[in-house]
Amino acid sequence: MISLNGISKRLSESGIAPALLQELLTLARDKKQPFIQVAAESGKITPAQIATAAAEEFGLPLLDLEAFDIDLIPGDLISNEQLEKHRTLPLMVRGNRLFVAQSDPSQIQAIDEFKFSTGMTIEPVIVEYNKLQALVDKMLAANDTSMGDLDSELEDVDLEDPDAADKAQEKTATAAEDDAPIVRFVNKMLLDAIKLGSSDIHFEPYEKRYRVRYRTDGILHEVTSPPVSLTGKIAARLKVMSQMDISERRMPQDGRIKMRLSKSKAIDFRVNTLPTLFGEKIVLRILDPSSAQLGIDMLGYEPQQKELYMHALSKPQGMILVTGPTGSGKTVSLYTGLNILNVEGTNISTAEDPAEINLEGVNQCNVNARVGLDFAAALRSFLRQDPDVIMVGEIRDLETAQIAIKAAQTGHLVLSTLHTNNAPETITRLANMGIPSFNIATSVSLIIAQRLARRLCKSCKIPTDIPKEALLETGFTEEMLETAEIYQPVGCEHCKQGYKGRVGIYEVVKITDALSRIIMQGGNSIEIADVARQEGFNDLRTSALQKVAQGVTSLEEANRVTTD
C-alpha cells in the first residue's frame, strides 16, 4: 500500500477519503503520471480542492485563472514546444521576476527550463488543473500555424456572395492549392470541430441552402450556411482530402483524412459521401486517438460495474458483449478494455469495419466484403494465429456469432458489439440468430449496455427543487433520494446549453448461475431482466437516475437517453 504524503495527506486532512486517495496514488504510479493530473482527471476530487492542497503544502500563492487578464501573458517568452511539454504557462513579468502558473509544483523541470531560457527569477503560482489545461490549449491553438489565422485568411472570400469564391480563385489561380479559399474554409470547419470537441461534421446540400452542422455532446447544431454555389467545390475538396474518386457522384464512397495538429498530435476523420437530390451529403466522424487512452475511471462506471468489467477482462476465456445504438460509446468501451489487456505477453487481434483508432501492439484488420474478407473470414484466420484476445467489431450474422462463441469456449477472450437496446435483449438476439441457449449461457460472461448522457457544466449548474413524490414516480428509490443532489442546466461561456462533455450510462450484467438457468430454459428478455434485477444489476434507467442523484447530469437528460 502506498502511504499518503504531501498533497495527498493535505487532501485527506480536508475530508477526502483515504481509500480514494490510495486508489488514485496507485493509479498514478501504474500510469506513470503525476498524482495531481490523475486526481484532477478522475473527476472524484475537484480541481479547486487539489489546487488548495498544493498551495498549502508548498506555501505558494493560489490564483483563479478566470480572474486573470490573459492579455498580460508574455507569449514571446515561451515556445510551443515548452508549452506542450510542461503544460506550464508564464503569466506576467514584473521587473526581473516571471510569474508562472502551475497546477503541480512538484514538477520543477519546467521552472528550471524557464529560469535558464529567460534569465529571470521564477515565481510559481498555483492554479486549478482544468483551467490551466484549457488556457494552455488555447495558447497552443493561437500560436500553431496550422490552426491560426484561418479567420483572417477567410476574409479574402465573402462566403455570402455566391460569386466571391470564384472571383477569388481566379485571382489566385497560380497560387499553391493550400492557399485556395475553399481549402481554408474546409480546414477551418475541421479545426473548429476539433476545438469544440465535436464527434461528427455534416456537410448537407439542399435546393436553396447549404448547411454545416456539428454533433457536439450528442446533439447536432448548425454552425454555418455557405452559398449553395459552393456545394460542388466543398464536396470535391473533402473527397480529394479523403483520397476518393472525385468524378464519382452517383455512388456512396468511404475514405479517411489524417490531420496533424502538432508533432505529437494527429486526428483522423472517417469520411462517407452519400448522393442526395441536390448534391453529395458528406459526414465526417472525428476519431481522436486520445479517447482510447481515457482509462476506465473516466468513463462513468459505478464502482460495482467497473469491478464486473475488470473481472471479466481478467478471465482467460469467455465473451464480453457491448451493446447500444450508434454513437453510444461502444467503441471507446471496447478500446478501453483492449488497452488494459494490451501487454507484451498477450496476442490481440481485432476485426473492424473500419478500424477507428490505431492501437500500438494490437493487430488490427479492416474487413472488406468486396474481396470476401468479412468478420467470419477474419475470425477464422485469427484462430490460426495463436490469439489470446479477439475483438470483433460487430456480430451481424449467424456464422460470425458461431465462430465467436466457439472461440470463447476454446480458451480465448472475445470482445464484440451488438445493436440491441439493453442487456436482456442481447441474449434473445443471439438466440434469434440461431445460437443454442446452452452455448449462450456457457460462453457469454458479461454484457454491457450503454448510452451517453451530457454532463452538466460544473461552472453554471444550479440546484433544482423537485417534489419527492414526483421523483419517486420517475423511478428514484427512497435510498437514492437520501443523498441526492439534483441540478439543472443554465448555460455559460464555458459550456453549451448548460452541458459540457458526456458521461456513460451503463447496464452491466454478469451471467450468473441464475441467469444461466433462465437462458437455458429459453426465457424471454422480460424474464431475463427480472432475474438480472434480482441478482442486483441495475438497468439503464436506474443507472441514469443514479447519475442525476450524483449531480452529474440532469433529469431531463436522463429522460432523453433512457425510458421508464
Side-chain angles (χ1 to χ4, degrees), residues 244-259:
M244 297 181 188
D245 182 356
I246 62 172
S247 64
E248 177 57 75
R249 301 184 182 91
R250 298 167 298 175
M251 295 292 292
Q253 295 188 66
D254 292 294
R256 290 179 81 95
I257 298 171
K258 189 178 189 72
M259 178 173 283

Side-chain angles (χ1 to χ4, degrees), residues 227-240:
V228 175
S229 62
L230 298 183
T231 297
K233 293 182 175 66
I234 293 173
R237 174 57 186 165
L238 287 167
K239 289 165 76 174
V240 167

Side-chain angles (χ1 to χ4, degrees), residues 457 459-461 488-499:
C457 174
S459 300
C460 65
K461 67 178 183 180
Q488 66 183 29
V490 176
C492 66
E493 61 181 1
H494 302 291
C495 64
K496 193 165 190 68
Q497 299 174 341
Y499 298 95

Side-chain angles (χ1 to χ4, degrees), residues 36-102:
I36 284 181
Q37 177 184 346
V38 171
E41 292 178 349
S42 73
K44 297 176 180 179
I45 306 177
T46 68
Q49 289 175 307
I50 298 168
T52 300
E56 291 175 354
E57 176 65 20
F58 286 83
L60 295 173
L62 182 65
L63 174 69
D64 183 1
L65 275 180
E66 290 184 349
F68 183 76
D69 183 0
I70 61 173
D71 291 334
L72 296 174
I73 294 176
D76 58 333
L77 290 182
I78 184 171
S79 66
N80 272 18
E81 289 74 17
Q82 287 176 304
L83 264 180
E84 197 162 355
K85 178 181 178 182
H86 299 299
R87 312 293 295 184
T88 299
L89 188 65
L91 291 177
M92 61 181 176
V93 175
R94 285 185 181 173
N96 194 42
R97 291 187 299 164
L98 176 63
F99 290 83
V100 175
Q102 279 192 300

Side-chain angles (χ1 to χ4, degrees), residues 469-489:
E469 294 74 16
L471 292 174
L472 291 172
E473 290 179 6
T474 304
F476 283 91
T477 63
E478 292 280 358
E479 183 181 0
M480 290 165 63
L481 291 178
E482 287 178 4
T483 57
E485 296 181 10
I486 300 176
Y487 293 85
Q488 66 183 29

Side-chain angles (χ1 to χ4, degrees), residues 29 81 109 174 209 222 226 258 261 335 391:
R29 182 195 60 186
E81 289 74 17
Q109 185 180 357
T174 59
R209 67 189 297 253
E222 184 174 331
K258 189 178 189 72
L261 302 181
Y335 277 116
M391 195 269 272

Side-chain angles (χ1 to χ4, degrees), residues 335 348-352 355-360 362-366 382 391:
Y335 277 116
I348 304 175
S349 296
T350 74
E352 305 173 64
E356 295 193 356
I357 298 172
N358 296 329
L359 288 179
E360 184 75 24
V362 175
N363 307 292
Q364 296 173 272
C365 169
N366 281 333
F382 289 167
M391 195 269 272

